[in-house]
Amino acid sequence: MKKEVLLWVIGVLVVGILAFFGWSNSAPEKNVVEEDIPVATDDEAMAVDAISTNMIGSWKSLDDEKYILVLKEDNTYEDWYEGDSVGTGTWSLFTDPVAQDLDIETSFENSVFLEKKDGTTGEVFYYNVAVASSEELTITYLLGDVLRFGRVR
């Protein structure tokens, strides 16, 4: 009798263990994310929204007072020099240079970037947004120059 009970208990344990491992291995994986696909975080999205809001408006160059950059809410821009319109196009912000096919060797403190696309030639200019406050805009052209602006009231 003891032998039968012992075999029965061992049998139940074996079936239980096999069922447990078989069940856990057949459960679908949760939240599978491919490592090579960057995902924007909520913080990045909020930063882009805040910077975009701060950037909208007219900006006078602190280094060349004849130059004014106007960034409009509809994501268009105008470049003015000595009171004449010298360029128009579109602008947008992004946080992932790789998605824009940019190979940036320099690291920036801020990971928000500006793309300006000339409406006439289609030429694209990329900048890092260093400062975008209610009174100051500082952008670094990815090929070198730093452009500093003060808001025009």
Side-chain angles (χ1 to χ4, degrees), residues 21-52:
F21 285 110
W23 182 276
S24 65
N25 287 337
S26 67
E29 292 183 39
K30 295 180 182 177
N31 298 328
V32 176
V33 178
E34 292 185 37
E35 292 181 20
D36 295 337
I37 300 175
V39 178
T41 65
D42 288 341
D43 290 342
E44 288 174 331
M46 287 176 13
V48 168
D49 287 345
I51 288 171
S52 178

